[in-house]
Amino acid sequence: MEMALANYGIHLHRLYDAYLRGRCPLPSHTSKGSRESFIVNTRKNAWACHSASCVAARGGRLGGNVLDFVAAMEGCAIREAALKLQDGHLVTAIASEPVTYQHEADRGGWGTGGAPLPFALRRIDCSHAYLTERGVNPEVARHFGLGYNRGKGSMAGRIVIPIHDENGLLVAYAGRSIDQTEPRYRFPARFRKSLVLFNLHRAAAAGKSVIVVEGFFDCLRVHEAGLPGVVALMGCSLSIRQEELLCERFQEVTLFLDGDNAGRTAGPAIAQRLVSKVSTRLIETPAGRQPDQLGADQIRCLCIPGYF
Ligand SMILES: [Zn+2]
């Protein structure tokens, strides 16, 4: 459901736990009064809109599963919705199993126990050789939900990395090529990386101090070194929005950028912007190295003041 919402560019806010809520995006929704009528359970992959006119326009159904959602959005039959999902959208970029759907009675809707996702990430390999060669152990890969995509679509044959917004809502997958194929990283067309910080929702839950790195793999390595309060810029520049996200959630920021020219230039400039708002520290990464090339102990020595 989160992937389908992301696919349509729909933003809901997190009510609590697995519940999202917001304005109903369905074409059947005509009521102007019910602004918060649309609710999603991301665990059951179910949705519902409680507006009476919206329910009536959809033949009396309160909600349903992902296929029902796509069918309602597109104004098509369930079978066509399944085919659309197979057709090279973000959702299907990581789709794995052939899309199958069950009889109406078996398709769990809202509050009925839910139905299995027809495109669950079943063919994501968390222990692919590319990951082990880069020092990412399967446990860490599972924690971040990333792995080699054995499925079809534009992300096929890439390491897919789920990216969440500040509320923990899945907004995109990045696809890293495992050979020399360009682009090295593929992002969905509508995704703007300047609006999010990779791993922010987990880092914010870990405490009030955060380590800021450039890349996904730097982030994984710092996490693996026992420092879960880490986010990645997905580059070496800090956007205004990213600056806000950092300053709203953290009291202490440790900048741990790459030890190349770009990182050494960006570091002090970013520190200067942050220093009046949060306690800021700039780490001198060994020349020519980046965090994901360092050992766990070396990372702890650099990042934890007083650690030997
Ligand atoms: Zn509605």
Side-chain angles (χ1 to χ4, degrees), residues 24 26 28-29 37-38 49-51 54 58:
C24 175
L26 299 172
S28 54
H29 197 93
S37 60
F38 191 74
C49 173
H50 294 272
S51 155
C54 190
R58 286 182 282 105

Side-chain angles (χ1 to χ4, degrees), residues 163-186:
I163 302 171
H164 301 81
D165 70 4
E166 68 271 24
N167 299 313
L169 184 61
L170 180 68
V171 290
Y173 276 84
R176 173 69 164 91
S177 68
I178 59 164
D179 44 33
Q180 303 308 312
T181 309
E182 292 291 338
R184 269 196 317 152
Y185 282 97
R186 178 170 283 161

Side-chain angles (χ1 to χ4, degrees), residues 88-168:
H89 289 279
L90 165 73
V91 172
T92 54
I94 38 84
S96 44
E97 304 298 309
V99 175
T100 54
Y101 47 92
Q102 303 146 15
H103 295 298
E104 190 76 9
D106 296 327
R107 289 192 293 107
W110 181 257
T112 60
L117 249 189
F119 42 80
L121 309 182
R122 271 177 235 139
R123 294 176 73 181
I124 298 297
D125 179 359
C126 297
S127 44
H128 188 269
Y130 178 87
L131 293 172
T132 40
E133 273 159 32
R134 289 198 70 165
V136 179
N137 77 45
E139 216 171 293
V140 172
R142 257 189 293 279
H143 177 79
F144 284 88
L146 62 88
Y148 179 76
N149 178 23
R150 298 196 184 283
K152 297 189 201 107
S154 62
M155 300 287 184
R158 286 175 175 257
I159 301 290
V160 286
I161 305 165
I163 302 171
H164 301 81
D165 70 4
E166 68 271 24
N167 299 313

Side-chain angles (χ1 to χ4, degrees), residues 251-274:
Q251 287 161 2
E252 264 178 47
V253 175
T254 301
L255 295 170
F256 190 15
L257 307 185
D258 294 356
D260 57 8
N261 280 338
R264 294 242 163 130
T265 309
I270 293 174
Q272 209 158 34
R273 283 165 56 191
L274 295 174

